[in-house]
């Protein structure tokens, strides 16, 4: 996967029988490479401008980038080091290094600006039994992650695991 986008908001009008004089569309766009990001933004601009022209809009659309961060890329050596630490702490069945994800986080800027290697990890928050059942059935669409309207984190063991992982990581990094 090289890019992903979603329409998160659409605001237009105040009543069913009144034609709105404006509409606002909020899009989340995530890419791994700056060139892909530029191409997606150009495509969105071209499509929205074309739709406005086709509809006879009296003015061109106003397109504004309100939030933008580069792709978050983990440092491979640091990721391997801490994956081993977490595996030792929590067990091999509870830790894994997944494929590159496209979170919309500013975390990737921290290590770059500080001049130090970094990595970003996820702590699962769903029901472990439901997660295992979805994997066994080949139905990952049944697992609801954060940002889903159906996401319902399980308080225990999520909070405890998150705190234990953070303390283990901090102790390990400070001991270096």
């Amino acid at each position: 996967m090289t890019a992903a986008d979603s329409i998160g908001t659409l605001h237009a009008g105040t009543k069913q029988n009144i034609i709105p004089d404006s509409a606002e569309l909020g899009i989340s766009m995530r890419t791994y490479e700056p060139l892909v990001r530029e191409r997606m933004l150009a495509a969105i601009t071209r499509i929205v401008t074309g739709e406005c022209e086709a509809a006879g809009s009296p003015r061109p659309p106003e397109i504004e980038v309100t939030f933008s961060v580069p792709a978050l890329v983990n440092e491979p050596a640091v990721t391997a080091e801490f994956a081993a630490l977490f595996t030792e702490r929590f067990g091999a069945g509870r830790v894994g290094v997944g494929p590159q994800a496209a979170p919309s986080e500013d975390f990737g800027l921290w290590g770059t600006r500080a001049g130090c290697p970094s990595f970003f990890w996820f702590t699962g928050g769903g029901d472990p039994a439901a997660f295992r059942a979805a994997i066994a059935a080949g139905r990952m669409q049944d697992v609801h992650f954060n940002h889903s309207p159906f996401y319902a984190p399980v308080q225990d063991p999520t909070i405890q695991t998150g705190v234990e992982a953070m303390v283990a990581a901090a102790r390990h990094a400070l001991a270096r």
Side-chain angles (χ1 to χ4, degrees), residues 126-174:
D127 177 7
F131 186 77
R132 284 191 293 276
I135 290 173
R139 294 192 45 86
M140 285 304 291
Q141 67 268 28
D142 294 342
V143 178
H144 303 291
F145 297 98
N146 58 335
H147 303 291
S148 163
F150 306 108
Y151 179 61
V154 177
Q155 186 174 351
D156 184 34
T158 302
I159 295 172
Q160 181 175 339
T161 301
V163 170
E164 287 178 17
M166 181 60 93
V167 169
R171 292 181 76 183
H172 180 78
L174 291 170

Side-chain angles (χ1 to χ4, degrees), residues 48-174:
V48 171
T49 300
E51 288 297 323
C52 286
E53 289 174 2
S57 175
R59 63 182 190 272
E62 297 173 17
I63 297 174
E64 176 185 3
V65 176
T66 57
F67 179 76
S68 180
V69 294
L72 188 158
V73 179
N74 284 343
E75 172 64 39
V78 175
T79 301
E81 177 183 348
F82 282 85
L85 172 74
F86 292 156
T87 298
E88 180 182 315
R89 175 70 179 86
F90 299 109
R94 293 181 62 199
V95 176
V97 177
Q100 183 177 13
S104 58
E105 297 289 338
D106 60 359
F107 177 83
L109 296 172
W110 296 3
T112 302
R113 290 194 177 156
C116 64
S118 62
F119 85 110
F120 184 91
W121 77 80
F122 292 97
T123 301
D127 177 7
F131 186 77
R132 284 191 293 276
I135 290 173
R139 294 192 45 86
M140 285 304 291
Q141 67 268 28
D142 294 342
V143 178
H144 303 291
F145 297 98
N146 58 335
H147 303 291
S148 163
F150 306 108
Y151 179 61
V154 177
Q155 186 174 351
D156 184 34
T158 302
I159 295 172
Q160 181 175 339
T161 301
V163 170
E164 287 178 17
M166 181 60 93
V167 169
R171 292 181 76 183
H172 180 78
L174 291 170

Side-chain angles (χ1 to χ4, degrees), residues 12-27:
T14 57
K15 194 135 174 71
Q16 297 86 340
N17 64 345
I18 299 174
I19 299 170
D21 64 344
S22 67
E24 183 178 308
L25 184 65
I27 299 173

